[in-house]
């Protein structure tokens, strides 16, 4: 592996290219005032290609690296100024020359120059010219974005620009599966893309754009080539496995249609080679574009998910995966004022997992292990997922807008586990076979209604309402060889489980949870001056939940031992109401923006169970503060402070026991109080278009007082727990720093570091415990972007997970090569090497993954032939670890074997 990386570094350092000279200077207005973000471009008169381009910095300076002994047309443009064009002939010496622009540019010529510029800036919009970054191997939007300066795409398809996450993806101004970027970056064809527009300070509602703070909002809009408009485009792919004893297949058609009136997108994927267009993890985090409308409210009331812990694996954490996926997205302009849009997604997957896990339960206030659980687990999982959204936007004038959205999520999931467990405690060991079954069919419907009205230049009104209906019915079954919760003095549960002659214990739990939650607020904005406004908010959050559960035992004679004691059943209802008044003042003063605020809350909560009701009422005043220092146009420092009341939902209030797993029981606490969190965040950002330097950093600190914590009792590896309000504060600190830039047009490099430290307080076996975790994640990488030579990316990632002095390390060097050659062939290969180990090397594993593909497609041909291989080194497993406040976990997952696929694609 070290030799491969050495050769890769030598490859980059020894690539030969023509010697260059520097053409530098400043762009000035009338010879005096420097012009920031003016476009300067050098077009080679011999090749007619753009050899270099630059965007001036805050001092008007630019630098172009040009070939020696060549003649160039230098084109200079700036919005509102006359364009300038002149010739320069280079020799072996550097050139310094200032350029003066005169007011009164011609708009058409300016637009034409922007079209040719690889990167340009107009106001809050960054425009990337797609063809300037294509080398021939790109197939999807993701491949193209990774080559653009300042843009990052992670493995989950999330896009970051300038260190900020892109929250909305559009094509031709129309939503593309709103609320997620993965489907877009993984499926939109790269050859259809003309421009990539990054929209900074984005607000979907133009009425509120000037009065709200949108500095963290980013959207991305894809502009299509002219030949892709008013025509169907896309591709249809079919592939089969080569040299496999069992059949492997891939069918993946994608169709797109866009015109000014309407658009339709169709994506499908059927395969058994591990491609998951939408994972279960993606499904649960898919927001559908719904906003957190109560972000300024000062209260946090989150509805928990009763998902039984069904494995949220990624596609590389499975032994076998078979997937069927279909999705459609549409938009339709009924008229100039009214538009409709929406999407539908259906996904079905059958997954086999094989896992070896070691859980080490820690002694109180120590890194010592007092019990261990070793598990060999085989799981079979079936998941059917559905997502449907319909949106309507009515905007008859610039002063009024009415929006309605409805998002429905349905799923049916089943998981069967065959588990061999070894329990080690007190010097003794016990081995048993455990069989578990999990099933759930949750439903959620989220609706949003918003109205915005501008009465005049001084008065703006906004009404927003959001309703959530959620119905969950998880069922859990565990068949064990020992009684995990015997009625003994050391075990507080006393469920009344009967001993069986067979030595098996068949435990079952039904659970039903229904939620109705309504958020509503009315905002009034009064413009004091052109740079200041007052915002008054009147709002409410109302939630009503029902929770029913029961645990029962199926005996050897097939009769039922209904554990209907108060400890094993729940019949609970819970109402929560928060009515609040918020006041905020926004002031722009020079380079500073200040937004101090305060909210006044009246809380009323009632839970009814065990024949009685328990009520809490109180009043709180919660301040918040936001300050932005806009150092330069693309450099800022932001500070945010908030005091927030955090409330639990019904799951932690139900006092009857809930079976969380074969060795874990939990019960709620009806008298739980809220916790209060104090958060501070500081964020720095700088983006220099002069040399495409990108710096972003943030630090967050949170202190939670009266936190809802856990009182746990362990008997060996079996646990019972209940929530309590802790007298000790929990603390978390996180930070990130990233530096990246481009060099000489063809090179790109970045360095990043992420840190996360947490301290938690709990009670474990009557002992007050404090646990800490500290995660460090460092990455360095460099890449090239040549047009006619092989391109390479090399990097190194180092991860440290420190859980109460139990340290786990992962070294991960990686490399990628792509090469377009002979005007028809594309070769792409990726390699990752993992060295996973703990402090004393008692846990250690090395594994690597290699994939490669060779594509043949003649120029202008619609047919593409591809041979691809995944896991070419036939690696059998990978490692993972995690930490909770009582234990550490290390796991080894069996992964899919080597697949060789021959596929044929037809491009429409």
């Amino acid at each position: 592996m070290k030799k491969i990386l050495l050769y890769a570094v030598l490859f980059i350092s020894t690539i030969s290219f023509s010697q260059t000279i520097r053409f530098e200077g400043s762009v000035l207005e009338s010879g005096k005032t420097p012009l920031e973000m003016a476009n300067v471009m050098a077009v080679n008169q011999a090749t007619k290609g753009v050899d270099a381009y630059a965007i001036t910095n805050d001092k008007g300076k630019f630098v172009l690296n040009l070939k020696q002994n060549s003649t160039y047309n230098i084109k200079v443009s700036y919005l509102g100024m006359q364009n300038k064009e002149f010739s320069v002939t280079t020799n072996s010496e550097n050139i310094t020359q200032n350029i003066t622009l005169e007011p009164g540019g011609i708009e058409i010529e300016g637009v034409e120059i922007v079209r040719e510029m690889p990167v340009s800036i107009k106001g809050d919009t960054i425009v990337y010219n797609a063809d300037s970054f294509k080398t021939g191997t790109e197939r999807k939007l993701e491949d193209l974005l990774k080559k653009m300066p300042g843009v990052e795409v992670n493995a989950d398809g999330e896009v970051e620009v300038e260190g900020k996450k892109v929250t909305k993806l559009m094509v031709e101004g129309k939503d593309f599966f709103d609320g997620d970027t993965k489907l877009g970056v993984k499926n939109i064809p790269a050859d259809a893309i003309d421009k990539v527009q990054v929209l900074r300070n984005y607000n979907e509602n133009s009425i509120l754009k000037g009065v709200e703070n949108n500095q963290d909002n980013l959207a991305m809009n894809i502009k299509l080539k002219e030949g892709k408009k008013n025509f169907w485009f896309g591709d249809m792919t079919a592939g089969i496995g080569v040299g496999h004893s069992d059949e492997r297949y891939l069918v993946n058609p994608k169709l797109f249609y866009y015109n000014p009136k309407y658009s339709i997108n169709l994506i499908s994927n059927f395969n058994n080679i591990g491609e998951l267009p939408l994972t279960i993890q993606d499904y649960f985090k898919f927001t559908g574009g719904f906003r957190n409308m109560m972000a300024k409210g000062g209260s946090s009331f989150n509805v928990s998910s009763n998902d039984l812990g069904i494995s949220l694996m990624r596609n590389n954490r499975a032994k076998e995966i078979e997937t069927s996926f279909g999705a459609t997205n549409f938009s339709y302009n009924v008229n100039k004022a009214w538009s409709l849009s929406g999407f539908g997604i259906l996904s079905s997957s059958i997954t086999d997992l094989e896992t070896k896990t070691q859980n080490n339960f820690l002694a109180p206030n120590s890194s010592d292990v007092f019990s261990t659980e070793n598990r060999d687990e085989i799981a079979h999982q079936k998941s059917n997922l559905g997502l449907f959204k319909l949106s309507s936007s009515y905007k008859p004038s610039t002063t009024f807008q009415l929006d309605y959205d409805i998002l429905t999520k349905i799923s049916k999931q089943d998981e069967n586990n065959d588990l061999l467990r070894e329990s080690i405690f007190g010097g003794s060991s016990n081995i048993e076979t455990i069989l578990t079954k999990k099933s759930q069919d949750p439903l959620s419907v989220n609706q949003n209604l918003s109205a915005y009205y501008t009465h005049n230049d001084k008065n703006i009104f906004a009404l927003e309402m959001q309703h959530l209906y959620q119905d969950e019915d998880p069922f859990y079954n565990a068949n064990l060889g020992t009684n995990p919760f015997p009625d003994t003095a050391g075990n507080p549960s006393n469920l009344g489980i009967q001993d069986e002659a067979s030595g098996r214990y068949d435990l079952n739990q039904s659970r039903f949870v229904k939620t109705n939650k309504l958020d509503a607020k009315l905002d009034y904005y009064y413009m004091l001056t052109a740079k200041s406004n007052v915002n008054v908010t009147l709002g409410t959050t109302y939630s009503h939940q029902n929770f029913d559960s029961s645990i029962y035992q199926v005996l050897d004679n097939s009769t039922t031992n209904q554990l209907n004691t108060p400890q094993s059943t729940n019949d609970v209802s819970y109402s929560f109401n928060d009515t609040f008044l918020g006041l905020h003042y926004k002031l722009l003063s020079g380079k500073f923006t200040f937004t101090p605020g305060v909210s006044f809350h009246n809380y009323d909560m009632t839970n009814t169970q065990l024949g009685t009701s328990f009520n809490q009422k109180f009043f709180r005043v919660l301040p918040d503060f936001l300050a932005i220092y806009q150092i330069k146009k693309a450099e800022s420092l932001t500070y945010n402070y908030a005091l927030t009341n955090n409330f639990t939902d019904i799951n932690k209030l139900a006092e009857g026991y809930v079976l969380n797993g074969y060795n874990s029981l939990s019960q709620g606490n009806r008298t739980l109080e809220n916790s209060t969190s104090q958060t501070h965040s500081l964020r720095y950002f700088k983006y220099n278009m002069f040399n495409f330097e990108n710096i972003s950093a943030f630090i967050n600190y949170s202190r939670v007082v009266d936190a809802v914590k856990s009182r746990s009792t362990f008997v060996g590896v079996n646990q019972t727990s209940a929530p309590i309000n802790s007298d000790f504060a929990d603390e978390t600190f996180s930070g990130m720093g990233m530096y990246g830039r481009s060099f000489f047009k063809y090179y790109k490099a970045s360095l990043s570091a992420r840190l996360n430290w947490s301290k938690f307080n709990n009670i474990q076996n009557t002992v007050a415990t404090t646990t800490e975790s500290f995660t460090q994640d460092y990455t360095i990488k460099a890449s090239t972007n040549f047009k006619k030579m092989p391109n390479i990316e090399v990097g190194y990632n180092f991860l440290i997970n420190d859980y109460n002095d139990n340290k786990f390390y992962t070294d991960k060097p990686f490399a990628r090569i792509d090469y377009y050659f002979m005007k028809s062939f594309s070769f792409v290969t990726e390699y990752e090497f993992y060295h996973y180990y703990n402090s004393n090397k008692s846990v250690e594993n090395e594994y690597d993954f290699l994939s490669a593909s060779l594509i043949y497609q003649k120029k202008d041909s619609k047919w593409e032939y591809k041979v691809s291989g995944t896991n070419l080194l036939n690696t059998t497993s990978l490692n993972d670890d995690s930490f909770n406040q009582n234990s550490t976990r290390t796991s080894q997952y069996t992964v899919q074997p080597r697949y060789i696929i021959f596929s044929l694609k037809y491009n429409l």
Side-chain angles (χ1 to χ4, degrees), residues 4 38 40 66 70 119 150 168 179 198 235 263-264 284 339 424 469 476 572 650 690 720 770 812 819 861 882-883:
I4 292 176
V40 184
L66 306 180
S70 301
V119 184
K168 176 181 280 290
V198 177
D235 53 68
S263 68
I264 301 174
F284 281 111
S339 63
I424 303 173
Y469 171 77
Y476 181 75
V572 187
I650 198 170
F690 174 67
T720 58
T770 300
K812 178 190 169 184
Y819 185 31
S861 173
S882 66
F883 165 78

Side-chain angles (χ1 to χ4, degrees), residues 786-798:
F786 298 111
K787 290 284 187 181
K788 296 181 180 180
M789 289 188 291
N791 286 296
I792 187 168
E793 178 185 66
V794 294
Y796 175 73
N797 173 253
F798 184 51

Side-chain angles (χ1 to χ4, degrees), residues 243-268:
H244 301 294
S245 57
D246 50 354
E247 292 185 355
R248 295 292 153 185
Y249 65 88
L250 168 67
V251 180
N252 185 202
K254 296 181 284 290
L255 296 172
F256 309 90
Y257 184 88
Y258 282 87
N259 71 22
K261 184 76 172 177
Y262 63 90
S263 68
I264 301 174
N265 305 296
L266 301 170
I267 301 172
S268 60

Side-chain angles (χ1 to χ4, degrees), residues 12 47 274 300 354 469 521 553 617 797 811:
I12 290 179
T47 65
S300 175
E354 187 173 318
Y469 171 77
K521 66 171 184 172
Q553 178 186 10
K617 291 183 179 181
N797 173 253
D811 292 302

Side-chain angles (χ1 to χ4, degrees), residues 773-823:
S773 69
F774 183 36
T775 299
Q776 304 170 66
D777 189 345
Y778 307 96
T779 302
I780 183 172
K781 59 183 178 180
S783 62
T784 65
N785 192 33
F786 298 111
K787 290 284 187 181
K788 296 181 180 180
M789 289 188 291
N791 286 296
I792 187 168
E793 178 185 66
V794 294
Y796 175 73
N797 173 253
F798 184 51
L799 178 66
I800 307 173
N801 289 326
D802 184 352
Y803 309 131
N804 252 32
D805 294 326
N806 290 277
K807 293 185 178 181
F808 300 89
Y809 303 87
T810 303
D811 292 302
K812 178 190 169 184
F814 55 90
R816 184 181 191 272
I817 298 175
D818 65 83
Y819 185 31
Y820 180 70
F821 59 99
M822 297 176 63
K823 298 183 179 180

Side-chain angles (χ1 to χ4, degrees), residues 180-213:
D180 182 74
T181 58
K182 180 177 181 178
L183 290 176
V185 301
K186 298 287 187 182
N187 289 284
I188 296 175
D191 61 3
I193 300 169
D194 182 35
K195 299 285 190 300
V196 175
Q197 298 176 330
V198 177
L199 312 175
R200 299 180 292 182
N201 301 316
Y202 180 75
N203 194 316
E204 291 186 73
N205 191 306
S206 59
I207 293 176
L208 299 183
K209 185 174 178 62
V211 295
E212 289 192 331
N213 293 307

Side-chain angles (χ1 to χ4, degrees), residues 148-167:
M148 295 178 173
V151 181
E152 299 289 337
V153 184
N154 66 19
D156 293 328
E158 295 176 338
V159 183
E160 286 189 358
V161 181
E162 304 176 343
K164 301 176 184 178
K165 182 180 175 182
V166 174
T167 56

